[in-house]
Structure formats: structure tokens, C-alpha cells
Amino acid sequence: MARIAVIGAGMGAMAAAARLAVAGHRPVVFERASTHGGAVGRLERDGFAFDTGPGLLPLPAVYRDLFVKTGKEPLADLVALTQVEPAARHVFADGTTADLPNARRAGVAEALDATIGAGSGARWSAFMDRAREAWDRSRRPLLEEPLWPNWEVLAEREPYPSVPHKRLLRKARTAVTLADIGVLELGGDPRLVALLESYALGHGLDPRTAPASAAVLPYMEQTFGTWAVTGGLRALADAVYARCLKRRVEFRFGTAVTRVVVEDGRAAGVELADGTVEAADLVVAGVPPGVLDALVPDRSVRGTVPARAERAVPSRLTAHLALRGARPEGTPHRTVVHGSDRTAETAWLFDGGAWPGRPTVTVLRPGDAAQVPDAEHEAVTVTATVPSGAQVSDADVESVLAAAGRAVPGLRERLLWHEIRTPRDIAEATGAAGGAVPAPALAAAGGTLLHPANGTPLPGLLAVGGWSHPGGGLPHAGMSGALVAGLVVEGPQFRGSQ
């Protein structure tokens, strides 16, 4: 039975700790903040409650598996999950509106035909068929197995089966990036292209450079569905924390780790801010790469996967809105309001261009009685992807609210108050430089969208959470916890669940 020091109480770290405790180990979690959950936070004011991190859950099977493997009470007995319907309403720049059903690909095609035009659904369905092939080819090595030692195979091999497009007297062209798919395979319709590229922008990925394998992002949503948690995503974090406590995981909040202790060439514990040294047989770090570097300053601990710091990793700007008046019946839980100029938006996010005027925003209107003081009020969250470290002005906030007004009629008249969460707030909560938010790992693209392996070059030190394999997002954090637990329990020969 090993004593394991876990740095951070984020979702990936807690998932690893619960699994390790069930396996007979003694995890001790050191968290510098006063609470658990990491990016999955909560804002409460005047009877309103908001998720300060993600507001919807894809792939709930990851957390169902965690609860099955760590106790008798299944997730469904502890947290109420509901598929949202429609999965999303899309409001395009030209005013076209499309409601896309949840986890019904045939229904998505029908909705696109009805709103964008005949043939749109067929083009999108054919694209989804190819995305399924990319998913089948990449799912296991990207999500269910520790990162291969020969990870270069994933970096070089594109799993998406692009359709060759013949050109007169020239070599046939195939889609290399997500943007290429929009032009070559979706016919260049600006609304279909905006729909496709919104999946990249929502994860902080540049559609101009994101590989064609990013097709798995819309495939996952439209195949496995999108789920809401009663009480907000914070209720899921609370349930994972409670499961850790049941498994006798020890938590020490308000306790910052300043150094990973190294003895005889391996991690042997952690040093705390007060100078105390806590010995451990293994150390699991659920922290961003810059923080991890600072904890082991004289060593390289991130392996050989290309560093994500070499490219721009955006952050988020979030506005939490308290509104007077009831949420109208039939209101979609999520609305994506597409930006007025996608070219300007991508240049702003990834090239240092000017603010685009009206960016793409996601508007969440949950209709959850647990998140409002009474039925005559509504809690709304508006999120935009912004450059990491962005200095947010009042004018920027106004443009985000103006975009949200396209999804919430009468928003200005109904607004009681709002609170803004900037990249600086995210940086303070997570430790990530500039408030950067990690994206899920993707194959191809020379490995620039892979994340460092869970095992590190320092023996006895493992990495967990969104900045390690398999990358960012709630499901991926849970998967990283399972991979780290497997590596500890079974050793380097662990190859994932069968």
C-alpha cells in the first residue's frame, strides 16, 4: 500500500485519487484553494447560482464508470443527469436559426435541410460518417490508453478519411484541416462552415490549423449527446469529492505545494509552503505545465511530446447574468450565437488581430429551479473564447452582451446585475498562464495537439488532468484519472481498460 501525494483537487486528480484508494493506496490531496473541483467552480449571489466552468457534460459514461469502479452507489443515484433538447440552437450571422436535436444524427440532417436548404443535411451526414471513421481509428490510443512511447505515429497519421477532390490538370486536393473540410466537403456554405468551425472555436482551436481529425468533436456531441446536471456541474464535482471521502481519501485545503522532493533520482514527496516535507511513495500532479516546471525546476518532467506553449492556447470570458422574469417555456438550454465576422474572429484569437466586434458566444439558459431564487427569475451564462491573458474592457463586455441579446430577447430590460469572469480569474483559479484552457488531444498535426504522457521522465511522478494526456474537458479529465490509476496499480505495462 503506497502513500501517494496528489497535487491539486481538480476533477482529474480526484478521479485518480478515488480509484487509487479503492486499489488499496493512501492518497493525500494537497490543494492550495479552499475547495475542490478546480475549474468546475460555482458563483452564488442573491439566490442565483452559476457554474463558473463548464455548464454541460458530454460523455457522462466516463463518470458513470468512475462511480461503478469506486463504490456501490451509481452516479444516477447521486446526481440527476438530463439530456438537453435540443442539443443546441444555432443563430447564424445572417439570422438563420437551426435547432439541432440531441444525439439524433438523422434529426440533425432534417433540421439542416429545413433551415439551411435541401442537401445540407446530406452533406453534413456524409461528413459525420467520415468523422465516425476518425473516431473509431483514434478513440482507443487517444482516450483509453496511456500515450504510446512511439507517439509520433499518432502525430503523423491522419485518421480522418478525407475525400479527394479532383482538379483539372492538377493533383487532387484532400482536406488537411477542419477549415478545408468546410470548403471541400461541406460545399463552403457559410452557415455549415460556421457550424463546423464553432466546435473548434469552442475548444480554443484554430480551424485553419486544427487537423481534419478534429471532426471527432462534433461527432462525439451528436452521437453521445449533451447532458445537464441538476444544480449545475458543480453538483458533479461535489459528488466526486464525496466519493473520495467515502474511500478515505485525505484532503488538505489551503495547502500549497512548492516543490516535489526528489531523492535518489525519483519523486519522494512534496514540500509545502510552510516548509513542511510530506514523504510519499509516488506523486501525482494535477497542475498546468508551467506550475509543474516550477515544482521540479532542475529537471525536464514533461516528456518529449511537442509543448502546447508553442502555439496560442485561448482562454474564456464569461458573463453571469441575473435576470428578472421567468424563463419562457420551450427555451433551449444552449444557444450558439455565431460571430459577425469569422475571419476577423480567428485572426483576433490566434494572430493577435483586433477585437472582431461581435464574437461567437454560447448562451446557457438552464431552467433549473436550484439555480434561481424563484420561478420569476432566470440565471443565464454567456461565454466567449478569447485570447489568453486578454485585458477585457467594458466595451468588450458590452459586445458580448449584445451578442447574447440575439438569444435572449429583452435581455437589457430584464438584467438585474451581472458578474464577469476574465482570463485573469481563470488563471487565479487554475494556475494556468494567462487563464489558458486546454483542449482535448487530437491526432495528426505533427503532435502539436497531443498532450504530455501521464508518466513523466522523473520516476515516481505522474501527471493528471487537462494539461496531460488525453487533454482538456470534463470527460478527458476523468479519463486521465483512470489512466494514472492504471499506471500506478499495474505499472508501465498498463495498456488501458479492455
Side-chain angles (χ1 to χ4, degrees), residues 334-433:
R334 175 176 56 163
T335 299
V336 179
V337 180
H338 294 266
S340 55
D341 187 335
R342 197 174 60 260
T343 300
E345 186 170 7
T346 52
W348 164 62
L349 285 171
F350 305 104
D351 302 334
W355 177 269
R358 195 188 73 221
T360 299
V361 301
T362 297
V363 181
L364 298 183
R365 306 178 69 182
D368 184 345
Q371 296 182 256
V372 290
D374 54 52
E376 296 306 313
H377 292 86
E378 185 179 4
V380 175
T381 296
V382 185
T383 304
T385 301
V386 300
S388 60
Q391 300 297 312
V392 178
S393 69
D394 290 343
D396 298 337
V397 173
E398 286 302 309
S399 68
V400 168
L401 295 180
R406 300 186 73 204
V408 187
L411 184 150
R412 293 288 184 183
E413 294 74 20
R414 297 178 59 198
L415 185 62
L416 292 170
W417 52 261
H418 67 272
E419 290 204 14
I420 304 301
R421 183 176 172 82
T422 69
R424 177 179 293 181
D425 296 318
I426 297 175
E428 290 177 357
T430 67

Side-chain angles (χ1 to χ4, degrees), residues 132-373:
R132 180 184 61 198
E133 289 191 46
W135 169 259
D136 290 341
R137 293 171 180 174
S138 62
R139 172 183 56 84
R140 185 163 181 80
L142 272 179
L143 303 180
E144 298 177 1
E145 297 178 343
L147 193 65
W148 296 342
N150 61 332
W151 57 267
E152 291 88 351
V153 175
L154 282 171
E156 298 164 0
R157 185 177 299 167
E158 172 57 74
Y160 181 81
S162 299
V163 177
H165 287 258
K166 295 181 180 180
R167 299 184 294 175
L168 185 64
L169 302 179
R170 289 186 291 175
K171 184 179 178 180
R173 183 183 175 191
T174 57
V176 175
T177 67
L178 205 65
D180 290 340
I181 291 175
V183 173
L184 299 176
E185 300 181 10
L186 296 180
D189 183 286
R191 294 157 297 184
L192 285 182
V193 171
L195 171 61
L196 172 65
E197 294 188 354
S198 69
Y199 288 94
L201 294 175
H203 286 93
L205 297 170
D206 185 348
R208 303 168 303 177
T209 58
S213 66
V216 300
L217 299 175
Y219 174 80
M220 288 167 61
E221 176 178 302
Q222 294 188 10
T223 301
F224 304 114
T226 301
W227 301 72
V229 177
T230 299
L233 261 293
R234 181 64 185 183
L236 176 63
D238 291 343
V240 175
Y241 173 63
R243 177 54 53 92
C244 285
L245 294 180
K246 277 202 168 186
R247 301 283 77 83
R248 300 182 184 278
V249 175
E250 181 182 349
F251 285 83
R252 299 190 191 177
F253 295 109
T255 306
V257 172
T258 57
R259 181 171 67 95
V260 172
V261 177
V262 180
E263 294 180 0
D264 299 324
R266 65 175 289 113
V270 296
E271 182 177 331
L272 309 181
D274 63 4
T276 303
V277 172
E278 296 279 348
D281 301 292
L282 295 166
V283 176
V284 174
V287 296
V291 177
L292 186 58
D293 289 342
L295 293 176
V296 197
D298 300 326
R299 291 174 177 268
S300 173
V301 292
R302 281 192 274 165
T304 56
V305 173
R308 289 176 56 83
E310 295 175 0
R311 66 174 191 87
V313 181
S315 182
R316 306 289 185 270
L317 169 64
T318 303
H320 301 296
L321 314 179
L323 304 185
R324 63 171 61 86
R327 175 181 183 267
E329 186 176 349
T331 297
H333 189 118
R334 175 176 56 163
T335 299
V336 179
V337 180
H338 294 266
S340 55
D341 187 335
R342 197 174 60 260
T343 300
E345 186 170 7
T346 52
W348 164 62
L349 285 171
F350 305 104
D351 302 334
W355 177 269
R358 195 188 73 221
T360 299
V361 301
T362 297
V363 181
L364 298 183
R365 306 178 69 182
D368 184 345
Q371 296 182 256
V372 290

Side-chain angles (χ1 to χ4, degrees), residues 1-4 19-27 247 282 488-489:
M1 181 171 65
R3 188 172 194 267
I4 301 174
R19 290 176 181 271
L20 289 168
V22 168
H25 298 291
R26 292 182 295 125
R247 301 283 77 83
L282 295 166
V488 171
V489 173

